[in-house]
């Protein structure tokens, strides 16, 4: 009997096994160690197994086949992505936000699915559940973008054949309506702030459009009073603590919540979303209680973009107040003595520590209540207010973009809100251009001697 001819390279084989199933073997190339990468497919019928083999061959020929080895679950890949990939490019605060949404939304919803088994229906159902639980569409949209970015990296590295997030339409999020101060409200707000030790903080925030983190992280080293410039090289942010111990789950044992709260729970009345959920299996949270915690609390970080670090001119009327503020701080330093903690910050507590962002936000709300101004976001009362008032003063958009340190003018336009008074004035002027208003008639009592009626009166007097 002649020997069975050898199949050419990369040719697949289909055969009926002793178990009654049809089997297919496809050569995909070589593994990382150089050994042949042969993939297996099986089915009840020859027709079905040939279909699977053709699909695998198509992925191979188009160079879209996933790499050899076990495909990770969504939970495993998200952990790898945030730990080893995203941490190299994201700012600390953004990375914190990615971790938060991954732990609270992505992993509980479909974390156990393998990446190659994840379907668009899984994402759509999870998004619908988030909306039903009271999450804002903007929150769900952010979750979708984080997951889509992670799956894009997995697709690029051929871990999966397709990024299923691109097949899903996430909920659309309307842009938040801004509510900046009017000029009268801004003056009233700053007059109320003048009675507080932190008055200069609000002058810089409202008058120069600084972000909260940039204002609280401003240091005297980067204040150039001679050239009237502020250099926002650092910002103050509160980051989530991370475990520094080897076993995060065991570290937080006493804080793990094993059962849900009873229906009549009163401990979490103030929570917007109700009682917190029980801890997941293998919970690695509660890092704030870890004795070896790290990378958390109030820290100085670099602004997000290079444009944000550009110097900003200080309005000349602000300079005397800055000098007075510095002298007052020197007096506080002398009064504190050894208790003073030198962080070189422009806006400090009585012991020299930076102002806490949460307390700063509370003070903003208190000032709103004192002045009778309606409630609004801190961003509206500072950055949006500066951009809007600059526009009302006739400053062009490119200049406002430079003052607010935006990278795109479209972003600046979102910070500037049109006023109804300006709109009415503009429409009045265009109306006067096309349809000039009639001039008022002026009556005169001076008689003209050359008129016929005047001549008749003279004749009557002569007679």
């Amino acid at each position: 009997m002649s020997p069975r001819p050898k199949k050419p390279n990369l040719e697949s084989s289909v055969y009926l096994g002793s178990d009654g199933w049809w089997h297919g073997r496809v050569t995909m190339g070589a593994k990382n160690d150089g050994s042949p990468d042969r993939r297996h497919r099986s089915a009840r019928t020859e027709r079905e197994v040939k279909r699977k083999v053709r699909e695998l061959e198509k992925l191979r020929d188009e160079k879209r086949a996933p790499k050899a080895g076990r495909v990770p679950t969504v939970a495993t890949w998200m952990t790898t992505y945030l730990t080893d990939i995203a941490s190299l490019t994201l700012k600390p605060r953004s990375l914190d936000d990615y971790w938060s949404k991954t732990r609270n939304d992505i992993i509980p919803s479909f974390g156990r699915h393998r990446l190659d088994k994840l379907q668009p229906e899984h994402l759509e159902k999870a998004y619908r559940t988030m909306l039903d639980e009271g999450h804002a569409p903007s929150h769900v949209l952010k979750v979708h973008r984080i997951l889509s970015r992670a799956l894009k990296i997995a697709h690029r590295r051929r871990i999966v054949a397709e990024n299923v997030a691109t097949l899903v339409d996430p909920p659309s999020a309307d842009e938040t309506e801004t509510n900046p101060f009017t000029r009268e409200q801004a003056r009233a707000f700053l007059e109320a702030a003048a009675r507080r030790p932190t008055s200069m903080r609000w002058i810089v925030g409202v008058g120069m459009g600084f972000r909260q983190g940039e204002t609280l992280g401003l240091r005297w080293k980067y204040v150039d009073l001679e050239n009237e410039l502020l250099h926002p090289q650092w910002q103050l942010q509160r980051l989530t603590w991370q475990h520094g111990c080897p076993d995060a789950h065991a570290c937080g044992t006493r804080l793990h919540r094993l059962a849900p709260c009873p229906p009549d729970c009163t401990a979490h009345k103030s929570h917007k979303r109700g009682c917190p959920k029980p801890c997941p299996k293998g919970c690695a949270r509660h890092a704030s209680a870890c004795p070896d915690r790290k990378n958390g609390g109030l820290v100085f970080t670099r602004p997000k973009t290079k444009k944000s670090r550009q110097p900003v001119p200080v309005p000349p009327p602000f300079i005397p107040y800055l000098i007075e503020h510095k002298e007052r701080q020197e007096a506080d330093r002398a009064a504190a003595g050894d208790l003073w903690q030198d962080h070189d910050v422009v806006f400090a507590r009585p012991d020299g520590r930076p102002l806490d962002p949460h307390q700063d936000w509370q003070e903003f709300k208190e000032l709103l209540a004192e002045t009778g101004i309606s409630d609004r976001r801190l961003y509206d009362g500072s950055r949006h207010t500066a951009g809007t008032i600059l526009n009302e003063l006739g400053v062009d958009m490119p200049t406002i973009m430079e003052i607010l340190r935006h990278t795109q003018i479209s972003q600046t336009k979102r910070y500037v809100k049109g006023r109804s008074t300006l709109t009415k004035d503009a429409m009045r002027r265009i109306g006067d251009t096309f349809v000039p208003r009639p001039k008022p008639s002026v009556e005169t009592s001076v008689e003209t001697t050359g008129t016929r009626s005047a001549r008749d009166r003279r004749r009557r007097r002569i007679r």
Side-chain angles (χ1 to χ4, degrees):
M1 183 176 178
S2 60
R4 188 174 181 178
K6 184 178 180 181
K7 288 183 176 292
N9 290 336
L10 299 182
E11 184 174 344
S12 305
S13 59
V14 177
Y15 59 92
L16 179 63
S18 59
D19 56 357
W21 284 68
W22 282 88
H23 298 269
R25 302 282 179 178
V26 182
T27 302
M28 306 297 292
K31 297 180 181 179
N32 292 334
D33 59 359
S35 59
D37 179 11
R38 295 272 290 176
R39 310 271 177 102
H40 172 254
R41 294 293 184 269
S42 61
R44 282 291 185 183
T45 63
E46 182 181 9
R47 181 179 179 180
E48 180 65 17
V49 77
K50 285 184 176 180
R51 183 187 65 80
K52 293 183 178 181
V53 167
R54 285 195 299 270
E55 289 179 354
L56 198 55
E57 289 174 340
K58 183 179 179 181
L59 291 175
R60 178 197 64 193
D61 297 339
E62 295 176 353
K63 297 183 179 180
R64 296 190 300 111
K67 288 185 178 180
R70 185 173 180 83
V71 179
T73 63
V74 174
T76 303
W77 174 246
M78 289 302 301
T79 302
T80 302
Y81 166 69
L82 294 178
T83 304
D84 301 331
I85 303 173
S87 60
L88 301 177
T89 56
L90 291 179
K91 294 294 182 180
R93 189 67 175 271
S94 299
L95 186 62
D96 270 3
D97 188 43
Y98 275 45
W99 271 114
S100 174
K101 289 178 172 56
T102 298
R103 286 192 302 262
N104 298 324
D105 300 300
I106 296 178
I107 292 179
S109 299
F110 34 76
R112 294 186 179 182
H113 286 287
R114 270 176 34 183
L115 285 182
D116 57 343
K117 300 295 182 181
L118 190 63
Q119 298 297 322
E121 294 78 13
H122 299 146
L123 275 62
E124 292 165 346
K125 184 178 179 180
Y127 297 163
R128 179 72 264 168
T129 302
M130 291 180 203
L131 293 173
D132 293 342
E133 290 178 350
H135 288 287
S138 58
H139 175 91
V140 181
L141 181 60
K142 185 64 177 292
V143 171
H144 173 79
R145 287 173 176 170
I146 294 172
L147 178 65
S148 180
R149 178 61 182 171
L151 293 178
K152 181 179 180 180
I153 300 297
H155 179 230
R156 186 185 297 169
R157 300 187 179 190
R158 295 193 299 162
I159 299 175
V160 292
E162 188 175 25
N163 179 1
V164 297
T166 60
L167 308 178
V168 177
D169 291 330
S172 58
D174 295 333
E175 189 173 337
T176 304
E177 182 70 19
T178 62
N179 189 20
F181 290 152
T182 62
R183 298 192 205 183
E184 295 73 18
Q185 289 174 336
R187 291 193 191 97
F189 182 88
L190 292 179
E191 287 174 2
R195 297 188 288 269
R196 296 173 178 253
T198 56
S199 60
M200 197 61 212
R201 176 264 177 272
W202 298 111
I203 292 176
V204 172
V206 178
M208 300 182 64
F210 270 43
R211 302 176 180 91
Q212 183 193 38
E214 294 171 345
T215 308
L216 302 185
L218 188 63
R219 302 184 184 181
W220 286 113
K221 178 181 178 181
Y222 302 104
V223 177
D224 188 353
L225 294 176
E226 182 178 351
N227 296 313
E228 300 180 352
L229 291 174
L230 294 185
H231 299 263
Q233 294 292 321
W234 294 91
Q235 59 183 350
L236 186 71
Q237 291 183 328
R238 183 179 294 280
L239 303 181
T240 304
W241 288 104
Q242 299 177 14
H243 279 280
C245 55
D247 190 348
H249 177 69
C251 179
T253 299
R254 64 182 180 84
L255 299 174
H256 291 324
R257 297 175 57 83
L258 304 179
C261 293
D264 56 346
C265 173
T266 59
H268 306 104
K269 277 185 176 181
S270 59
H271 286 213
K272 291 183 179 179
R273 300 190 183 97
C275 298
K277 297 179 181 179
C279 294
K281 185 178 179 181
C283 175
R285 303 176 187 174
H286 317 297
S288 59
C290 176
D292 300 321
R293 62 189 181 187
K294 60 181 182 180
N295 300 334
L298 289 177
V299 297
F300 288 98
T301 62
R302 288 289 189 182
K304 198 169 185 178
T305 63
K306 184 178 179 181
K307 184 83 172 180
S308 298
R309 298 197 291 270
Q310 287 188 352
V312 182
V314 183
F318 290 5
I319 298 298
Y321 292 98
L322 270 172
I323 296 174
E324 181 184 352
H325 175 76
K326 188 173 184 179
E327 293 173 351
R328 192 183 309 118
Q329 192 178 94
E330 291 296 333
D332 292 341
R333 179 200 296 265
D338 295 338
L339 299 178
W340 182 266
Q341 301 180 31
D342 191 11
H343 294 274
D344 195 37
V345 289
V346 176
F347 309 109
R349 305 184 208 184
D351 60 357
R353 292 181 298 161
L355 296 176
D356 184 88
H358 183 67
Q359 293 179 355
D360 181 73
W361 175 84
Q362 286 181 326
E363 186 176 42
F364 174 75
K365 297 296 182 179
E366 292 172 2
L367 288 170
L368 291 180
E370 286 181 18
T371 52
I373 301 175
S374 60
D375 189 31
R376 65 198 65 204
R377 302 177 304 168
L378 176 56
Y379 229 52
D380 289 336
S382 56
R383 201 158 172 79
H384 286 283
T385 295
T388 301
I389 293 181
L390 283 170
N391 182 54
E392 292 176 358
L393 295 175
V395 182
D396 56 13
M397 281 295 172
T399 305
I400 299 177
M401 183 182 73
E402 291 299 318
I403 294 174
L404 298 182
R405 291 158 290 127
H406 290 151
T407 55
Q408 296 178 347
I409 199 166
S410 59
Q411 186 179 9
T412 306
K413 291 179 180 179
R414 294 199 299 268
Y415 276 69
V416 175
K417 182 175 181 180
R419 303 285 193 193
S420 59
T421 54
L422 296 180
T423 306
K424 289 180 179 179
D425 180 66
M427 298 310 293
R428 179 188 59 78
R429 283 184 289 165
I430 197 172
D432 292 344
T433 301
F434 292 120
V435 185
R437 287 179 289 183
K439 297 181 179 180
S441 59
V442 179
E443 297 182 357
T444 177
S445 61
V446 178
E447 293 186 356
T448 304
T449 59
T451 62
R452 184 174 180 178
S453 59
R455 289 196 298 269
D456 292 342
R457 282 194 297 272
R458 283 199 302 271
R459 289 194 198 100
R460 286 194 292 270
R461 283 197 297 271
I462 294 172
R463 291 174 185 173

